[in-house]
Amino acid sequence: MQSGLSVRKIVISGVLGAIAILLGATRLGFIPVPFIVGDATIMHVPAIIGGILEGPIVGAIIGTIFGVFSFLQVGAPMFKDPLISILPRIPIGVTAFLAYAALKKRNEYLALIVSAIVGTFTNTLLVLGMAVLRGYLTPAVAGAIVLPFGSAEAVLAAIIVVAVVSAWKHLESGHGKSRI
Amino acid sequence: MEDFEYLRHVTIGQYLPGSSLVHRMDPRAKMIILFLMAAAVTVNMSYTANIILLVVSVVYVLAARVSLRYILGGVKPVLPFMILLAAMQLLFYGNQFIGPNLQNVVLWKWWIVNVTTGSVQLVVISILRFLQLLLLASLLTNTTTTTELSHGVERLLRPLARIGVPAHELSLVATIALRFVPILAEQLETVAKAQASRGAELAGGGPLHLVQSARRLAVLIVPLFMDAFRRSEDLILAMEARCYLGGKNRTHLIELRYNGIDYAAIAANLVLAVWLIVYRNRFPF
C-alpha cells in the first residue's frame, strides 16, 4: 500500500470533484431562491457526500476542487478572491463527516440530514464571513442573507444527500457488490 | 434539443490549441505566475496597482493570441448578478471602506443610501480585480492541456511530499476529475432525455417554488450520482486489479523541463508581484 491515499479514496475524490465541476459548469447546481440576491447553490453537496462516504480527507479534497473551480469560473467578483472562493470550501466535507460520525449510531437518516445542514452552513458562514473580512459585503448585508441563503441551501442539500446516500447504500447491500 | 446539451456554454477550462509563446511555456511556470499574480491582485486595493495588473493581464492574453472577446463572452450569464452586487456595494458601503491614503468623501447621501469615494473605489476595484483574475485564470486553462496541468501540479507539489502531502495522488485526483467531467456530462444528457421522455418537467418553475426546483433537480442529480459511483467502482476495480501503485518510484513518459523563457517569465513576474505587494499602501491613489 502506498503511503498516501488508497485507490478508492483517489477515485471517489476525483469523480465527486467532477460532479462538483459539472454542477457549476452547467449551472445546474444553481437554484433561484425567492427574495435573495443571486442563486442558492448545491455545488457543495459532492463534498458533503464525499465526507460522509469516504471520510474527512476525501471531503476536504472535493471541497478544494469545488473551491478551485469556483475561483476559475466566471462568477461574482468576490469569488475571484482565492481567500473567499477556495479556503472556506476545504472544511465543508470535514465538518459534514464529523456530524455524520457523531450521529450515525443513533439514526442513519438523522445523521445524513444533520451532516448536510452542518456542511452547508460551514460553507455559507465561512464564505460570507470571509467576504465581510475582505470588504466585499457589509456585516449588515451578510447578516441579512446568511439565514435565508443558508437555510434554502441546507434544505436542498439535505434532500439530495439523503436521496443519494440512501440509494447508494441500499444498492450496495441489495446487489451484494464486491468490495476489495 | 439544445436544452440537453449541458456543456455548450462553458468557455473556461477549454483548451484552445495554438503555438504561441504562452502555449509553449512550461505548465509549472504558468501556474507559478498565476499564483504570484493572484497574490498581488488579492492584496492591492489602489487604482494604480490594479490598472498596472490589468494591463499586464491583457498583454499576456494578447501574447497568447487568445481572443479577449472569447474569454469575456463567458461573463454573460452572471452579468445581472454582478450588476446587482456592484449597485449594493456602491449605495450601502459608504462608511466602512476607506482606501489606502484616501479621505472618504461623501458624494451623495439620502436616507440609508450613502455613496462615497470609498464605495466608488470599492466597486471599480472589484470589477478590475475580477477582470484580471478572469483573464489570468482563463489564460492558464486555455493554453495548457489537462495532461500538462496535472503533470505540473504533481511536480509543483513534489517538494511537499517530504512532509507527507501525497503529491502524486492529488494530481491523479485532479486528472480523474477533469477526465470525468465530459463523461458525466454525457451521462447527464442521457438521464435528462430519459426523464423528459417519461414526462418529467425539467425546465421552468419560478424562484418561488423551492421544493419543486429541488424535486426537479433530484430526478437528474440522483441518477447522476449513482452512475458516478458505479463508474468509480469499476475504475477502482480496474486499478486494483492492475496493482496500481503511485508514489516515488513511478516514472513519466513526458518529463517537464524549464527553459530560458520560463525562468525569465517567472523572474519578471516575481519582481512585479513582490514590488506590488510591498508597496501596496504607498501608491498615491
Side-chain angles (χ1 to χ4, degrees):
Chain A
M1 209 60 223
Q2 67 252 53
S3 56
L5 297 159
S6 66
V7 170
R8 165 166 292 272
K9 291 196 163 142
I10 294 172
V11 172
I12 299 278
S13 311
V15 174
L16 290 180
I19 294 188
I21 296 175
L22 190 65
L23 290 178
T26 58
R27 300 201 62 76
L28 199 69
F30 298 93
I31 296 103
V33 169
F35 318 123
I36 297 168
V37 193
D39 299 338
T41 179
I42 53 157
M43 279 178 75
H44 61 291
V45 167
I48 296 174
I49 292 177
I52 290 172
L53 291 177
E54 296 296 331
I57 296 173
V58 171
I61 295 173
I62 301 167
T64 313
I65 294 176
F66 162 37
V68 170
F69 181 75
S70 69
F71 170 64
L72 292 175
Q73 197 193 16
V74 184
M78 68 179 200
F79 291 114
K80 281 288 164 211
D81 187 334
L83 293 174
I84 293 174
S85 57
I86 301 178
L87 207 60
R89 320 291 202 186
I90 299 172
I92 299 171
V94 182
T95 56
F97 162 78
L98 293 174
Y100 178 71
L103 292 168
K104 186 170 59 173
K105 291 239 169 66
R106 193 166 295 172
N107 183 331
E108 183 88 29
Y109 281 101
L110 178 73
L112 290 176
I113 292 169
V114 172
S115 99
I117 294 169
V118 169
T120 304
F121 273 97
T122 307
N123 180 35
T124 315
L125 287 175
L126 290 181
V127 168
L128 290 177
M130 224 32 188
V132 170
L133 280 183
R134 301 278 304 149
Y136 291 91
L137 296 174
T138 59
V141 172
I145 62 179
V146 66
L147 214 59
F149 241 127
S151 40
E153 289 182 351
V155 169
L156 291 166
I159 293 173
I160 291 165
V161 167
V162 170
V164 168
V165 177
S166 58
W168 178 243
K169 290 210 159 171
H170 172 72
L171 254 182
E172 226 175 22
S173 58
H175 289 271
K177 264 202 168 283
S178 62
R179 294 190 123 209
I180 295 170
Chain B
M1 285 307 270
E2 63 192 29
D3 289 351
F4 298 114
E5 289 168 22
Y6 284 104
L7 280 180
R8 212 158 40 110
H9 297 292
V10 184
T11 56
I12 204 157
Q14 249 2 321
Y15 175 66
L16 305 174
S19 58
S20 71
L21 192 63
V22 182
H23 281 83
R24 282 179 279 128
M25 273 170 67
D26 189 298
R28 288 170 294 177
K30 286 189 262 190
M31 281 188 261
I32 292 171
I33 290 169
L34 174 63
F35 178 80
L36 288 171
M37 287 293 115
V41 171
T42 309
V43 299
N44 272 289
M45 281 306 285
S46 65
Y47 288 116
T48 323
N50 277 284
I51 288 167
I52 294 173
L53 283 163
L54 184 65
V55 170
V56 170
S57 316
V58 171
V59 169
Y60 290 171
V61 172
L62 294 177
R65 295 198 210 108
V66 173
S67 139
L68 272 174
R69 184 185 283 181
Y70 176 79
I71 295 179
L72 295 176
V75 183
K76 232 184 242 166
V78 288
L79 212 53
F81 179 58
M82 284 173 59
I83 292 169
L84 209 69
L85 201 74
M88 274 174 40
Q89 283 178 331
L90 184 68
L91 298 179
F92 304 117
Y93 215 95
N95 298 327
Q96 281 96 343
F97 179 77
I98 299 168
N101 312 328
L102 261 188
Q103 294 299 313
N104 214 3
V105 182
V106 176
L107 299 175
W108 185 50
K109 201 167 163 61
W110 175 75
W111 194 39
I112 53 167
V113 174
N114 186 13
V115 180
T116 64
T117 48
S119 63
V120 170
Q121 185 173 14
L122 180 71
V123 171
V124 174
I125 297 297
S126 297
I127 293 168
L128 289 178
R129 272 182 174 178
F130 170 75
L131 289 174
Q132 292 147 12
L133 288 166
L134 175 70
L135 293 176
L136 292 169
S138 307
L139 193 59
L140 175 67
T141 54
N142 288 344
T143 63
T144 317
T145 62
T146 49
T147 326
E148 281 181 324
L149 280 177
S150 65
H151 277 302
V153 170
E154 179 176 354
R155 291 299 304 270
L156 282 177
L157 290 178
R158 197 176 277 180
L160 296 176
R162 293 218 184 116
I163 56 163
V165 176
H168 173 79
E169 284 86 344
L170 288 180
S171 88
L172 185 60
V173 169
T175 313
I176 292 174
L178 292 170
R179 183 64 195 88
F180 265 80
V181 170
I183 296 176
L184 293 176
E186 210 172 290
Q187 182 62 27
L188 185 63
E189 216 176 294
T190 312
V191 172
K193 283 176 182 165
Q195 299 287 22
S197 71
R198 289 177 177 84
E201 194 81 29
L202 297 178
L208 287 166
H209 305 284
L210 189 62
V211 178
Q212 268 184 19
S213 323
R215 208 178 289 157
R216 226 185 351 258
L217 208 59
V219 302
L220 291 180
I221 301 275
V222 175
L224 180 69
F225 268 101
M226 292 306 115
D227 180 72
F229 285 138
R230 250 178 247 126
R231 283 175 200 270
S232 313
E233 295 296 337
D234 290 347
L235 182 56
I236 291 164
L237 199 59
M239 283 169 76
E240 287 186 337
R242 287 163 182 76
C243 301
Y244 171 82
L245 271 181
K248 254 194 299 196
N249 300 319
R250 213 175 165 83
T251 55
H252 290 285
L253 182 61
I254 305 157
E255 280 293 329
L256 296 174
R257 278 206 184 80
Y258 288 116
N259 61 33
I261 290 164
D262 297 317
Y263 285 120
I266 293 173
N269 281 283
L270 184 65
V271 170
L272 178 65
V274 168
W275 175 63
L276 286 171
I277 291 169
V278 170
Y279 284 89
R280 65 182 180 279
N281 289 330
R282 299 193 207 164
F283 291 107
F285 72 104

Short mmCIF file of all heavy atoms in Angstrom, two decimals, chain B residues 62-97:
data_model
loop_
_atom_site.label_atom_id
_atom_site.label_comp_id
_atom_site.label_asym_id
_atom_site.label_seq_id
_atom_site.Cartn_x
_atom_site.Cartn_y
_atom_site.Cartn_z
N LEU B 62 -2.91 38.80 -25.03
CA LEU B 62 -2.56 39.11 -26.41
C LEU B 62 -1.35 38.29 -26.85
O LEU B 62 -1.30 37.79 -27.98
CB LEU B 62 -2.27 40.61 -26.57
CG LEU B 62 -3.49 41.53 -26.35
CD1 LEU B 62 -3.08 42.98 -26.46
CD2 LEU B 62 -4.60 41.20 -27.33
N ALA B 63 -0.39 38.11 -25.93
CA ALA B 63 0.80 37.34 -26.27
C ALA B 63 0.44 35.89 -26.58
O ALA B 63 1.08 35.23 -27.39
CB ALA B 63 1.81 37.39 -25.12
N ALA B 64 -0.61 35.39 -25.93
CA ALA B 64 -1.01 34.00 -26.16
C ALA B 64 -1.89 33.88 -27.40
O ALA B 64 -2.27 32.78 -27.78
CB ALA B 64 -1.77 33.48 -24.95
N ARG B 65 -2.23 34.99 -28.01
CA ARG B 65 -3.12 35.04 -29.18
C ARG B 65 -4.47 34.34 -28.89
O ARG B 65 -5.02 33.64 -29.72
CB ARG B 65 -2.46 34.40 -30.41
CG ARG B 65 -1.25 35.21 -30.83
CD ARG B 65 -0.83 34.88 -32.26
NE ARG B 65 0.60 35.07 -32.40
CZ ARG B 65 1.48 34.07 -32.53
NH1 ARG B 65 1.06 32.83 -32.62
NH2 ARG B 65 2.75 34.31 -32.63
N VAL B 66 -4.95 34.53 -27.65
CA VAL B 66 -6.29 34.07 -27.31
C VAL B 66 -7.21 35.28 -27.46
O VAL B 66 -6.83 36.39 -27.10
CB VAL B 66 -6.34 33.54 -25.86
CG1 VAL B 66 -7.76 33.22 -25.45
CG2 VAL B 66 -5.47 32.30 -25.73
N SER B 67 -8.41 35.06 -28.00
CA SER B 67 -9.28 36.21 -28.24
C SER B 67 -9.88 36.73 -26.93
O SER B 67 -10.43 35.97 -26.13
CB SER B 67 -10.38 35.79 -29.22
OG SER B 67 -11.60 36.32 -28.84
N LEU B 68 -9.72 38.03 -26.70
CA LEU B 68 -10.29 38.65 -25.50
C LEU B 68 -11.80 38.49 -25.48
O LEU B 68 -12.40 38.26 -24.43
CB LEU B 68 -9.95 40.15 -25.48
CG LEU B 68 -8.63 40.57 -24.85
CD1 LEU B 68 -8.42 42.05 -25.08
CD2 LEU B 68 -8.61 40.25 -23.37
N ARG B 69 -12.39 38.60 -26.66
CA ARG B 69 -13.84 38.50 -26.74
C ARG B 69 -14.32 37.11 -26.32
O ARG B 69 -15.33 36.96 -25.66
CB ARG B 69 -14.29 38.79 -28.18
CG ARG B 69 -15.79 38.80 -28.33
CD ARG B 69 -16.21 38.97 -29.77
NE ARG B 69 -16.08 40.34 -30.21
CZ ARG B 69 -16.41 40.75 -31.43
NH1 ARG B 69 -16.85 39.88 -32.31
NH2 ARG B 69 -16.30 42.01 -31.77
N TYR B 70 -13.52 36.11 -26.66
CA TYR B 70 -13.87 34.74 -26.27
C TYR B 70 -13.91 34.60 -24.76
O TYR B 70 -14.86 34.06 -24.19
CB TYR B 70 -12.84 33.77 -26.87
CG TYR B 70 -13.06 32.34 -26.45
CD1 TYR B 70 -14.04 31.57 -27.05
CD2 TYR B 70 -12.30 31.77 -25.43
CE1 TYR B 70 -14.25 30.26 -26.66
CE2 TYR B 70 -12.51 30.46 -25.03
CZ TYR B 70 -13.49 29.71 -25.65
OH TYR B 70 -13.70 28.42 -25.25
N ILE B 71 -12.86 35.11 -24.09
CA ILE B 71 -12.81 34.99 -22.63
C ILE B 71 -13.96 35.77 -21.99
O ILE B 71 -14.65 35.28 -21.11
CB ILE B 71 -11.45 35.50 -22.10
CG1 ILE B 71 -10.32 34.60 -22.60
CG2 ILE B 71 -11.46 35.52 -20.57
CD1 ILE B 71 -8.95 35.02 -22.15
N LEU B 72 -14.17 37.01 -22.47
CA LEU B 72 -15.19 37.85 -21.84
C LEU B 72 -16.60 37.35 -22.14
O LEU B 72 -17.55 37.66 -21.40
CB LEU B 72 -15.03 39.29 -22.29
CG LEU B 72 -13.72 39.95 -21.82
CD1 LEU B 72 -13.59 41.35 -22.39
CD2 LEU B 72 -13.61 39.98 -20.31
N GLY B 73 -16.75 36.55 -23.20
CA GLY B 73 -18.06 36.00 -23.55
C GLY B 73 -18.66 35.17 -22.43
O GLY B 73 -19.88 35.07 -22.30
N GLY B 74 -17.78 34.57 -21.61
CA GLY B 74 -18.26 33.72 -20.53
C GLY B 74 -18.94 34.50 -19.41
O GLY B 74 -19.59 33.92 -18.55
N VAL B 75 -18.78 35.83 -19.40
CA VAL B 75 -19.33 36.64 -18.30
C VAL B 75 -20.85 36.77 -18.40
O VAL B 75 -21.53 36.96 -17.40
CB VAL B 75 -18.68 38.05 -18.30
CG1 VAL B 75 -19.18 38.88 -17.14
CG2 VAL B 75 -17.17 37.95 -18.26
N LYS B 76 -21.37 36.66 -19.62
CA LYS B 76 -22.78 36.97 -19.89
C LYS B 76 -23.78 36.39 -18.88
O LYS B 76 -24.59 37.14 -18.34
CB LYS B 76 -23.14 36.50 -21.30
CG LYS B 76 -23.80 37.61 -22.12
CD LYS B 76 -24.22 37.07 -23.48
CE LYS B 76 -23.50 37.79 -24.60
NZ LYS B 76 -23.63 37.09 -25.89
N PRO B 77 -23.74 35.07 -18.60
CA PRO B 77 -24.79 34.53 -17.73
C PRO B 77 -24.80 35.12 -16.32
O PRO B 77 -25.84 35.11 -15.66
CB PRO B 77 -24.48 33.02 -17.70
CG PRO B 77 -23.14 32.85 -18.29
CD PRO B 77 -22.87 34.02 -19.14
N VAL B 78 -23.66 35.62 -15.81
CA VAL B 78 -23.65 36.12 -14.43
C VAL B 78 -23.71 37.64 -14.36
O VAL B 78 -23.68 38.21 -13.29
CB VAL B 78 -22.40 35.64 -13.66
CG1 VAL B 78 -22.51 34.16 -13.36
CG2 VAL B 78 -21.13 35.95 -14.41
N LEU B 79 -23.85 38.28 -15.51
CA LEU B 79 -23.83 39.74 -15.54
C LEU B 79 -24.89 40.39 -14.65
O LEU B 79 -24.56 41.31 -13.89
CB LEU B 79 -23.97 40.22 -16.99
CG LEU B 79 -23.25 41.52 -17.33
CD1 LEU B 79 -21.79 41.46 -16.95
CD2 LEU B 79 -23.37 41.82 -18.82
N PRO B 80 -26.16 39.95 -14.68
CA PRO B 80 -27.17 40.60 -13.83
C PRO B 80 -26.81 40.56 -12.36
O PRO B 80 -26.95 41.54 -11.63
CB PRO B 80 -28.45 39.77 -14.09
CG PRO B 80 -28.18 38.97 -15.29
CD PRO B 80 -26.73 38.88 -15.50
N PHE B 81 -26.32 39.42 -11.90
CA PHE B 81 -25.92 39.25 -10.50
C PHE B 81 -24.79 40.21 -10.15
O PHE B 81 -24.79 40.86 -9.11
CB PHE B 81 -25.50 37.80 -10.27
CG PHE B 81 -25.05 37.53 -8.87
CD1 PHE B 81 -25.89 37.75 -7.80
CD2 PHE B 81 -23.78 37.04 -8.63
CE1 PHE B 81 -25.48 37.48 -6.51
CE2 PHE B 81 -23.35 36.77 -7.33
CZ PHE B 81 -24.21 37.01 -6.28
N MET B 82 -23.81 40.33 -11.07
CA MET B 82 -22.68 41.21 -10.83
C MET B 82 -23.12 42.67 -10.72
O MET B 82 -22.65 43.41 -9.86
CB MET B 82 -21.66 41.08 -11.96
CG MET B 82 -20.85 39.81 -11.88
SD MET B 82 -19.81 39.61 -13.32
CE MET B 82 -18.83 41.10 -13.24
N ILE B 83 -24.05 43.06 -11.60
CA ILE B 83 -24.51 44.45 -11.59
C ILE B 83 -25.23 44.76 -10.27
O ILE B 83 -25.01 45.79 -9.64
CB ILE B 83 -25.42 44.73 -12.80
CG1 ILE B 83 -24.59 44.66 -14.09
CG2 ILE B 83 -26.10 46.08 -12.69
CD1 ILE B 83 -25.40 44.65 -15.36
N LEU B 84 -26.08 43.81 -9.84
CA LEU B 84 -26.82 44.00 -8.59
C LEU B 84 -25.87 44.14 -7.41
O LEU B 84 -26.03 45.03 -6.55
CB LEU B 84 -27.73 42.79 -8.38
CG LEU B 84 -29.00 43.06 -7.60
CD1 LEU B 84 -29.93 43.92 -8.42
CD2 LEU B 84 -29.67 41.75 -7.22
N LEU B 85 -24.85 43.28 -7.37
CA LEU B 85 -23.90 43.31 -6.27
C LEU B 85 -23.12 44.62 -6.27
O LEU B 85 -22.92 45.25 -5.23
CB LEU B 85 -22.94 42.13 -6.39
CG LEU B 85 -22.23 41.74 -5.10
CD1 LEU B 85 -23.19 41.04 -4.16
CD2 LEU B 85 -21.05 40.83 -5.40
N ALA B 86 -22.72 45.05 -7.47
CA ALA B 86 -21.97 46.30 -7.59
C ALA B 86 -22.83 47.47 -7.11
O ALA B 86 -22.37 48.35 -6.39
CB ALA B 86 -21.52 46.51 -9.03
N ALA B 87 -24.12 47.45 -7.47
CA ALA B 87 -25.03 48.52 -7.06
C ALA B 87 -25.17 48.55 -5.54
O ALA B 87 -25.15 49.61 -4.92
CB ALA B 87 -26.40 48.32 -7.71
N MET B 88 -25.28 47.37 -4.94
CA MET B 88 -25.39 47.32 -3.48
C MET B 88 -24.15 47.87 -2.80
O MET B 88 -24.24 48.62 -1.83
CB MET B 88 -25.65 45.88 -3.02
CG MET B 88 -27.12 45.53 -3.05
SD MET B 88 -27.44 43.81 -2.68
CE MET B 88 -26.30 43.47 -1.38
N GLN B 89 -22.99 47.46 -3.32
CA GLN B 89 -21.74 47.96 -2.75
C GLN B 89 -21.67 49.48 -2.87
O GLN B 89 -21.30 50.18 -1.94
CB GLN B 89 -20.54 47.35 -3.47
CG GLN B 89 -20.25 45.92 -3.07
CD GLN B 89 -19.08 45.35 -3.84
OE1 GLN B 89 -18.82 45.75 -4.97
NE2 GLN B 89 -18.37 44.43 -3.23
N LEU B 90 -22.08 49.97 -4.04
CA LEU B 90 -21.98 51.41 -4.30
C LEU B 90 -22.88 52.21 -3.35
O LEU B 90 -22.48 53.23 -2.80
CB LEU B 90 -22.37 51.68 -5.75
CG LEU B 90 -22.22 53.12 -6.23
CD1 LEU B 90 -20.77 53.51 -6.27
CD2 LEU B 90 -22.85 53.29 -7.60
N LEU B 91 -24.11 51.72 -3.14
CA LEU B 91 -25.09 52.50 -2.40
C LEU B 91 -24.98 52.38 -0.89
O LEU B 91 -25.24 53.33 -0.16
CB LEU B 91 -26.51 52.11 -2.84
CG LEU B 91 -26.84 52.36 -4.31
CD1 LEU B 91 -28.24 51.91 -4.62
CD2 LEU B 91 -26.66 53.83 -4.66
N PHE B 92 -24.62 51.19 -0.39
CA PHE B 92 -24.70 50.98 1.06
C PHE B 92 -23.35 50.83 1.73
O PHE B 92 -23.29 50.62 2.93
CB PHE B 92 -25.55 49.74 1.35
CG PHE B 92 -26.92 49.82 0.74
CD1 PHE B 92 -27.32 48.90 -0.21
CD2 PHE B 92 -27.79 50.82 1.13
CE1 PHE B 92 -28.57 48.98 -0.78
CE2 PHE B 92 -29.05 50.90 0.57
CZ PHE B 92 -29.44 49.98 -0.40
N TYR B 93 -22.26 50.89 0.98
CA TYR B 93 -21.00 50.55 1.60
C TYR B 93 -20.19 51.78 2.00
O TYR B 93 -19.04 51.67 2.37
CB TYR B 93 -20.16 49.64 0.69
CG TYR B 93 -19.38 48.66 1.49
CD1 TYR B 93 -19.87 47.39 1.71
CD2 TYR B 93 -18.17 49.02 2.06
CE1 TYR B 93 -19.18 46.50 2.49
CE2 TYR B 93 -17.48 48.13 2.84
CZ TYR B 93 -17.99 46.87 3.05
OH TYR B 93 -17.30 45.99 3.83
N GLY B 94 -20.81 52.97 1.95
CA GLY B 94 -20.10 54.22 2.16
C GLY B 94 -19.22 54.31 3.39
O GLY B 94 -18.08 54.76 3.30
N ASN B 95 -19.71 53.86 4.54
CA ASN B 95 -18.98 54.14 5.78
C ASN B 95 -17.77 53.26 6.00
O ASN B 95 -16.74 53.71 6.46
CB ASN B 95 -19.92 53.98 6.97
CG ASN B 95 -21.06 54.96 6.88
OD1 ASN B 95 -20.89 56.06 6.39
ND2 ASN B 95 -22.23 54.54 7.34
N GLN B 96 -17.92 51.98 5.69
CA GLN B 96 -16.92 51.05 6.17
C GLN B 96 -15.62 51.07 5.38
O GLN B 96 -14.60 50.66 5.87
CB GLN B 96 -17.46 49.62 6.17
CG GLN B 96 -18.35 49.34 7.36
CD GLN B 96 -19.80 49.52 7.01
OE1 GLN B 96 -20.13 50.14 6.02
NE2 GLN B 96 -20.70 48.99 7.82
N PHE B 97 -15.67 51.51 4.16
CA PHE B 97 -14.48 51.32 3.34
C PHE B 97 -13.71 52.61 3.12
O PHE B 97 -14.23 53.60 2.65
CB PHE B 97 -14.87 50.73 1.99
CG PHE B 97 -13.69 50.55 1.11
CD1 PHE B 97 -12.83 49.49 1.30
CD2 PHE B 97 -13.39 51.47 0.11
CE1 PHE B 97 -11.71 49.34 0.52
CE2 PHE B 97 -12.28 51.32 -0.68
CZ PHE B 97 -11.44 50.25 -0.47
#
